[in-house]
Amino acid sequence: MRSPCLKSLSITLIVALSTFAPRQGLAASPEPVKAEHGMVVTAQHLASDIGVEVLKKGGNAIDAAVAVGYALAVVYPTAGNIGGGGFMTIRFKDGKTTFLDFRERAPLAATKTMYLDDKGDLVKGLSTEGYLAVGVPGPVMGFEFARSRYGTKPLKELIDPAIELAREGFVLQQGDIESFDGETERLARDPAAAAIFLKPDGKPFAAGDRLVQTDLAASLSSIAEKGTDAFYKGAIADAIVKASADKGGILAKEDFERYQVRELEPVKCNYRGYDIVSSPPPSSGGLIICEILNILEGYPLSYLGYGSAETVHAMIEAMRHAYVDRNTALGDPAFVENPVAKLVDKSYAKEIRAKIDPFKAGVSQELMPAGFTESKETTHYSIIDDEGNAVAVTYTLNGSFGAGVVAPGTGILLNNEMDDFTAKPGTPNLYGLVQGEANAIEPGKTPLSSMSPTIISRDGKPFMVIGSPGGARIITITLEAIINVIDHGMNIQEAVDAPRVHHQWLPDKVFMEPYALSPDTRKLLSAMGHDVQVDENWMIWGQAAGILVGGENVAEIEAGGGARYNGAVDSRIGAGAARGY
Ligand code: DON
């Protein structure tokens, strides 16, 4: 037994250490990456390097975002793409903000029931595999829209590093290989995809192998030379339309010719004095993050503590209510009226709080709106430049390697974004989302997304750039990174690494990452009526990429500041990197 004297000495030591020692990581995360002039955080280190190079050569954050977008299409083929779609949130150095929607549009020949059989039942795989799953891609038009309006560099300069990586190839590391795991069978089904993403013997790539993408290099070169017409009006569109027609798809040349980027007003709200700017419809992300934050503002999360049963209960109930709105009320703004003002209204959040029992789990079925019938891969990157321009981009092929198809000769992987529509009201999609009529398929319509590229400012200055992949969980992953920083005082690395919980109304379950909740907390939550389930599928827990400005955490910022830019790539990302200069 320790002597009382020793015990009091150790107590004194603990007090002394906790008072005087520099604050160490809460979650045993590595330190954020620190820099003074610019920061680029992406899911693949070569893309981060390319982004930083653009910044060093005097390009702004928008230039870097375009270069990174093209680079990830080469070095992160599971999600980086020009055959999918995405969103870009921009906060300029003068505080103005904008949002670019370059997500997929449904082909003109799409119909509401295209994934159903004669009996009205969903045909498995139709909305996720092959050409019928493909929406009209937007990134080439989106990047060019961003560059020509807000960038400073010529397209060729921004796309050249990606062309070189595609032509010369790059050596795959362990982190790169992880995203190919389990995809061999799907990729083997499409000869053009297999020829690029599998070895000549049909085996998957291993660490140390070189991935060369000659056709993609040629497609990128023609875009560098001819601009967006190369993709939307020229040989690339022709090749995709031909492959689609040959393989049972419905893409037409007119779909490509009509494609347009939308510049939209971002969603805005305020959480405990922080100004949040995020994605508007056709994303649900910004609205639902704001709705959940507004509800949570009424609870003293900081006092209740990270991971406590009370904090988690409040989060789950806020998520439960907000996902009802997500899944039933939202859709493409060109086709449906979205209740934007209501969902970001603090008094609506107050009404919801009044319905939340502090001691008892809600019941999802009871929140079913009248008339509602029930029956990977994305990537996010965050950039900030020396002038303080901040860019958050989330773009996706939807599932890992999208629809698993490449139009012969193009080297371009195509998305399966059509699965984000409501293929059949009340029937879960790839991410278990049970959605309604507002998100039904219509020609030219954009499927509802959860992608949430988000930029936060405080007192008129940039504070945080954040976002993540993760399907339906993107919203809660981004939300949790925000409250981990603002309420729980974590540094940006801890905030993106901390284990997560998720609820999406239906199924009525609380999903937790392994170790997210202690056995005691789980018991308390179960006693309240929550059905808590550990979800070990790490892929769907996202891969956040964040930047905090002025210090690595709120305490450091408030104490006068640390490094200007603090970058953190989620430890769940195998090959990612935060790079600054
Ligand atoms: O737009 C969306 O919400 C989905 N297509 C995102 C898919 C995704 O995040 C997959 N990655 N894990």
Side-chain angles (χ1 to χ4, degrees), residues 118-136:
D118 297 349
K119 293 193 207 97
D121 293 331
L122 208 58
V123 182
K124 203 169 176 303
L126 225 47
S127 63
T128 53
E129 307 299 321
Y131 282 89
L132 212 50
V134 180
V136 187

Side-chain angles (χ1 to χ4, degrees), residues 79 85 87 103-104 282-284 326 376-379 394-400 416-417 419-420 429-431 433 447-452 468-474 539-543:
F87 300 134
R103 186 161 162 82
E104 299 85 343
S283 181
S284 59
R326 185 211 177 281
K376 162 167 99 191
E377 203 48 57
T378 305
T379 189
T394 315
Y395 76 147
T396 185
L397 289 166
N398 191 31
S400 186
N416 58 355
E417 216 71 52
D419 187 69
D420 274 351
N429 73 355
L430 196 60
Y431 300 104
L433 284 168
L448 185 65
S449 173
S450 300
M451 293 189 288
S452 312
S468 177
R473 298 174 193 210
I474 290 172
M539 287 292 280
I540 50 179
W541 284 108
Q543 302 172 328

Side-chain angles (χ1 to χ4, degrees), residues 252-267:
K253 193 71 185 288
E254 196 187 346
D255 290 317
F256 285 81
E257 284 162 358
R258 284 169 57 134
Y259 189 90
Q260 280 188 345
V261 174
R262 283 186 285 196
E263 181 158 30
L264 302 168
E265 188 56 31
V267 160

Side-chain angles (χ1 to χ4, degrees), residues 10 28 41 141 148 169 198 212 260 289 373 386 422 581:
S10 55
V41 189
M141 195 79 93
S148 58
L198 297 176
V212 178
Q260 280 188 345
I289 286 176
T373 44
D386 203 18
T422 309
Y581 82 106

